[in-house]
Amino acid sequence: MKKYPQFEDEVILNKEIKYTRYGTEHIAYIGQRAFVNDDYDEVNDELYIGLLDRYGALSDYITVKLEDIYWPNE
């Protein structure tokens, strides 16, 4: 069993996250699907993920904490 989500694993947000991209505020919603885009950063306790829109297309990249996501494979 893997300890952390790995590159290209699918995860689901379990917390609403506000972030700013190009001066515009966006919201990543609870239940929004995403994929892991980089390995887990144990030093900063962060995971870089790519958010998917309702059609499954990539919409944005954000950095989240492990407690902000649900990992179905855990």
Side-chain angles (χ1 to χ4, degrees), residues 1-4 71 73-74:
M1 174 133 314
K2 297 182 275 185
K3 191 173 180 182
Y4 305 111
W71 181 35
N73 300 337
E74 63 182 338

Side-chain angles (χ1 to χ4, degrees), residues 17-28 48-51 58-64:
I17 300 172
K18 293 182 181 182
Y19 63 98
T20 303
R21 191 68 80 219
Y22 306 115
T24 305
E25 192 170 287
H26 300 274
I27 299 174
Y48 190 60
I49 63 172
L51 297 172
L58 177 66
S59 64
D60 234 334
Y61 290 102
I62 61 172
T63 303
V64 297

Side-chain angles (χ1 to χ4, degrees), residues 6 34 43 48 55 63 67 72-73:
Q6 304 296 308
V43 175
Y48 190 60
Y55 304 109
T63 303
E67 64 264 11
N73 300 337

Side-chain angles (χ1 to χ4, degrees), residues 2-7 9-17 32 34-49 62-74:
K2 297 182 275 185
K3 191 173 180 182
Y4 305 111
Q6 304 296 308
F7 180 68
D9 280 351
E10 186 171 319
V11 295
I12 299 169
L13 293 178
N14 63 12
K15 179 181 176 184
E16 198 172 84
I17 300 172
Q32 187 167 357
F35 68 91
V36 178
N37 196 47
D38 200 0
D39 290 331
Y40 176 66
D41 179 359
E42 292 185 53
V43 175
N44 297 316
D45 185 36
E46 294 179 336
L47 194 62
Y48 190 60
I49 63 172
I62 61 172
T63 303
V64 297
K65 301 282 185 190
L66 268 183
E67 64 264 11
D68 298 341
I69 60 167
Y70 165 70
W71 181 35
N73 300 337
E74 63 182 338

